[in-house]
Amino acid sequence: MYRLNKWLIKGTDAPPESSGLWGEIFDNMYNLQRQQQIEKENLQAVIKRIQEITSALKDGIIILDWRGHLDFWNPAAQRMIGFRTKDQGLSVINFIRDPKFVHYFETGDYAEPLDLPSPRHPNKQLQIQITRFGQQERLIVIRDITQVHNLEQMRQDFVANVSHELRTPLTVINGYIETISDNNSMPAWDKPLQQILQQGKRMSLLINDLLVLSKLETTEAGHNQKELEMEPLLISIKNEAEALGNEKQQTIRLQCDQAISIHANEKEIHSAFSNLAINAVKYTPENGVIDLRAWKDNLHIYFSVTDNGPGIDSKHLPRLTERFYRVDASRNSATGGTGLGLAIVKHVLLRHDGELKITSELGKGSTFTCVLPLHHH
């Protein structure tokens, strides 16, 4: 026992020679020590490999402990955020102070990533995604999305500028065509002039929709929001839809449960709801029935437009809100649509923290439902 104790304190040499039961104890303990040493070396090799991999990554990796304090970060995260060795154990909020990040971090809803400017380089744009793991620990992945962000910015500027520049010449062309059409004395020119006028108006509508979308993308959400009564808003939308569908002898019904008020930008919400109602009128055949309905529960306000038109195949539903997406290429010329209506609806709802739900069945019609959060003021 004395020799065993002395050997255990020294811990490195081979065990002393012994026989019988003591010999077996020495051997077993020595084998256990060797196994532990091999496992330790294997673990160290794995850790070293992980560190090499994370060091090679272009994305920033940060590991936080259960309190939200820095535990580990890779060189990419160090470059992006500017950590130093002595920062270990400090709260991550000390380094990313943007109010958007603080809100994102503290609310704990990490389903979607967060885009924000880099705290070190304001001209760089970062995307941050947080994932929970282990014992309330968190993994933060940071990507540099500056190039994607700049491309998106260029696209938005291009669409806005081109739409704006096209507006003036088109107004002039339409004006002259109307004048020529009104004073035309040659019957053979009636049809071509009418078609030019019709296509000119379609281009004007398209440019107006592009400008609306551009404005929705480039202005900060939340401006000019106020309490709106839903019923008067929906009555005006119903009247617009009836005026448009007059020739088709359609029945448009409105049902607004109880007094509902919504905190929103009136112009934007009117544009979204109106687009859905007008779409229903365009795609529903003669003598069709269109139902506009608004209701609420404890959490949300709902506005739905249901028609008994031709319906939409389920394969098209996920892409319906994309710009210029067509279920059937021939439909746009028949209805005079721009292909941007649902994209506008989607953008407006996103700006109001809402979403658009679409259900449809071929031959039975479609239902478009706007779901908006119920703000308590």
Side-chain angles (χ1 to χ4, degrees):
M1 280 175 75
Y2 172 74
R3 282 162 68 207
L4 171 64
N5 191 40
K6 198 172 177 186
W7 172 62
L8 284 174
I9 291 166
K10 283 169 101 178
T12 50
D13 309 338
E17 286 298 319
S18 192
S19 59
L21 186 57
W22 279 111
E24 283 182 38
I25 289 170
F26 277 120
D27 288 345
N28 288 339
M29 289 187 81
Y30 182 56
N31 288 336
L32 275 173
Q33 275 184 345
R34 283 183 63 190
Q35 274 177 328
Q36 267 188 329
Q37 189 59 33
I38 291 164
E39 280 175 20
K40 191 178 172 186
E41 283 166 9
N42 288 343
L43 279 171
Q44 280 173 335
V46 169
I47 290 166
K48 193 181 175 199
R49 188 92 179 112
I50 289 169
Q51 283 176 333
E52 283 171 0
I53 292 166
T54 54
S55 296
L57 282 174
K58 287 183 181 175
D59 294 345
I61 303 284
I62 304 168
I63 293 174
L64 307 178
D65 63 18
W66 63 274
R67 298 166 302 170
H69 292 188
L70 298 170
D71 195 10
F72 166 84
W73 59 85
N74 70 343
Q78 187 162 347
R79 284 194 302 276
M80 290 174 181
I81 311 297
F83 297 129
R84 289 166 299 181
T85 314
K86 63 176 186 180
D87 295 331
Q88 190 152 12
L90 297 177
S91 171
V92 71
I93 291 170
N94 291 3
F95 303 93
I96 312 174
R97 297 171 182 269
D98 192 301
K100 281 186 189 171
F101 174 77
V102 176
H103 177 74
Y104 177 67
F105 183 75
E106 288 177 349
T107 50
D109 179 12
Y110 306 137
E112 292 295 323
L114 174 74
D115 295 355
L116 46 85
S118 161
R120 290 192 81 195
H121 315 283
N123 58 337
K124 280 188 177 287
Q125 195 76 6
L126 303 178
Q127 185 179 75
I128 295 175
Q129 176 78 67
I130 302 179
T131 309
R132 291 184 188 277
F133 74 98
Q135 303 293 314
Q136 288 302 305
E137 291 143 301
R138 280 173 273 203
L139 169 72
I140 302 180
V141 178
I142 306 175
R143 287 194 178 91
D144 184 341
I145 56 161
T146 310
Q147 197 177 0
V148 176
H149 177 74
N150 291 346
L151 281 170
E152 179 62 18
Q153 200 65 49
M154 279 166 63
R155 184 192 65 75
Q156 287 177 10
D157 293 346
F158 173 76
V159 170
N161 293 337
V162 168
S163 306
H164 210 76
E165 292 301 321
L166 283 173
R167 208 175 192 175
T168 310
L170 199 59
T171 307
V172 174
I173 293 166
N174 284 348
Y176 278 121
I177 294 292
E178 277 180 21
T179 308
I180 294 166
S181 184
D182 290 343
N183 299 305
N184 176 38
S185 56
M186 297 168 70
W189 280 93
D190 279 350
K191 196 177 178 187
L193 286 170
Q194 278 305 310
Q195 284 190 332
I196 294 169
L197 202 57
Q198 191 186 352
Q199 295 305 320
K201 282 180 178 169
R202 235 182 99 203
M203 272 189 81
S204 296
L205 282 173
L206 178 60
I207 287 164
N208 287 339
D209 278 357
L210 280 169
L211 284 168
V212 168
L213 255 180
S214 179
K215 194 176 177 191
L216 288 172
E217 286 180 332
T218 52
T219 57
E220 193 67 36
H223 73 292
N224 290 341
Q225 290 198 358
K226 58 179 184 180
E227 285 297 318
L228 300 172
E229 290 297 323
M230 283 280 273
E231 199 157 11
L233 176 74
L234 298 182
I235 288 169
S236 73
I237 287 168
K238 178 179 182 255
N239 293 340
E240 283 172 32
E242 279 175 339
L244 186 75
N246 230 341
E247 301 157 21
K248 288 184 164 184
Q249 307 289 308
Q250 292 168 337
T251 307
I252 300 176
R253 302 183 294 207
L254 171 62
Q255 183 191 346
C256 188
D257 298 2
Q258 75 255 52
I260 303 173
S261 69
I262 180 172
H263 190 75
N265 178 309
E266 185 171 7
K267 206 171 172 186
E268 291 179 11
I269 282 292
H270 186 285
S271 170
F273 289 0
S274 174
N275 260 308
L276 292 177
I278 287 166
N279 265 3
V281 170
K282 283 179 185 171
Y283 296 120
T284 303
E286 290 191 9
N287 302 315
V289 178
I290 296 163
D291 280 303
L292 312 180
R293 185 172 168 235
W295 73 100
K296 67 175 182 178
D297 57 24
N298 293 335
L299 296 172
H300 298 98
I301 291 169
Y302 304 88
F303 168 67
S304 72
V305 178
T306 304
D307 63 56
N308 60 353
I312 303 156
D313 195 328
S314 58
K315 68 179 180 186
H316 297 295
L317 297 183
R319 296 191 61 193
L320 273 185
T321 54
E322 288 178 20
R323 293 152 198 247
F324 304 113
Y325 183 75
R326 295 276 176 212
V327 171
D328 173 4
S330 63
R331 274 170 66 163
N332 60 338
S333 51
T335 60
T338 61
L340 293 170
L342 290 178
I344 290 171
V345 175
K346 179 186 161 187
H347 268 280
V348 169
L349 293 178
L350 281 173
R351 285 164 68 85
H352 289 80
D353 301 323
E355 61 175 325
L356 178 65
K357 293 189 172 175
I358 307 168
T359 54
S360 188
E361 205 177 322
L362 274 176
K364 292 197 176 174
S366 313
T367 300
F368 292 79
T369 308
C370 302
V371 184
L372 291 151
L374 190 63
H375 291 281
H376 296 286
H377 287 271

